[in-house]
Amino acid sequence: MNYWLMKSEPAVYSIDHLKKEKVTYWDGVRNYQARNFMRDKMKKGDKVFFYHSNAEPPGIAGIAEVEKEGYPDPSQFDKKSKYFDPKSKKENPTWILVDIKYVKKFKDLLSLDLLRSVSGLDEMLLLKKGQRLSIQPVSKEEWNVIQKIAE
DNA sequence: GCCAACGTTGGC
DNA sequence: GCCAACGTTGGC
C-alpha cells in the first residue's frame, strides 16, 4: 500500500466536488513525473491526501483513495479540451490518469502553515522549497503523523 | 547535447 | 498580481 498527495485548485475542483461526485478521473496532468506515478505506481486502494493549492489557505483538505489504476486520459484526444495534445497518438497515449474515490473531508483543513510547524514532516516533499509536483509520494510515517493531527 | 527563452506552478 | 523555481522547447 502506497500513500500519495494530489494537488487540486479548489476553485476548479475541491474536496467538496469529490464528496458530491464520490469518484472522479484525475485528468489534465501534463507532467511526466506525475504521469509516471499514476502509470506505474498508484494501485487500487492506495491512500491519497487531497490538497488544495492556490487556495486561501492552501492545505490538506481530506482523504481519497485510488479507485481505478492508470488508463489513458481521454482529454488528450479531445480537440476542444484545453488539455488536448496533438502529439499524442491513440495507439500509444502519452498521458495516463487514475480514478480516485472520496473517503473523507477533514473537519478542519490542515493548512500549509500548520504542516510546516509539525515535527516529523521536515523531509516531506510538499514542504520543500520549489516543489511544484502535483502528485507526490508520501511516506507511511508522514501519513501517520498527518492523519493523527487531523483527528 | 547545450542552454536561452519561454511557459507554468503555486505561495505570498 | 508578483515572481522564484522549475519544466519544456527549439535553435544551434
Side-chain angles (χ1 to χ4, degrees):
Chain A
M1 149 101 69
N2 292 310
Y3 301 93
W4 306 95
L5 179 141
M6 298 173 88
K7 297 181 185 173
S8 182
E9 300 192 21
V12 178
Y13 196 92
S14 75
I15 192 144
D16 291 317
H17 290 114
L18 182 61
K19 184 174 183 179
K20 203 147 127 200
E21 282 196 314
K22 304 292 180 223
V23 175
T24 194
Y25 49 93
W26 205 263
D27 67 345
V29 170
R30 295 295 179 267
N31 170 283
Y32 287 104
Q33 249 185 297
R35 178 209 60 186
N36 292 348
F37 287 138
M38 290 199 284
R39 186 187 60 188
D40 306 331
K41 304 282 191 206
M42 295 180 87
K43 298 296 172 199
K44 187 173 162 67
D46 281 2
K47 303 289 191 210
V48 176
F49 282 135
F50 194 110
Y51 181 84
H52 283 176
S53 63
N54 259 322
E56 192 47 56
I60 298 174
I63 295 177
E65 192 179 303
V66 177
E67 168 72 6
K68 187 176 174 189
E69 295 176 13
Y71 64 98
D73 179 346
S75 69
Q76 68 194 306
F77 304 122
D78 178 2
K79 284 200 174 64
K80 291 188 294 257
S81 169
K82 67 169 179 169
Y83 299 124
F84 177 63
D85 181 351
K87 286 185 292 189
S88 182
K89 301 282 170 263
K90 275 240 163 68
E91 58 275 15
N92 184 22
T94 307
W95 305 110
I96 300 296
L97 53 67
V98 297
D99 287 355
I100 66 162
K101 175 173 85 176
Y102 175 80
V103 175
K104 72 157 125 175
K105 178 183 177 178
F106 291 155
K107 196 143 63 70
D108 299 301
L109 178 124
L110 304 181
S111 73
L112 190 58
D113 262 359
L114 175 75
L115 294 171
R116 284 191 202 287
S117 75
V118 174
S119 66
L121 298 181
D122 315 327
E123 291 303 309
M124 195 177 178
L125 279 181
L126 178 72
L127 307 180
K128 295 246 160 137
K129 189 176 170 178
Q131 181 52 69
R132 308 182 313 185
L133 201 55
S134 64
I135 298 178
Q136 310 178 350
V138 172
S139 75
K140 190 173 173 38
E141 291 72 26
E142 289 159 358
W143 181 275
N144 290 338
V145 167
I146 293 169
Q147 170 99 292
K148 203 162 278 170
I149 303 168
E151 281 162 7

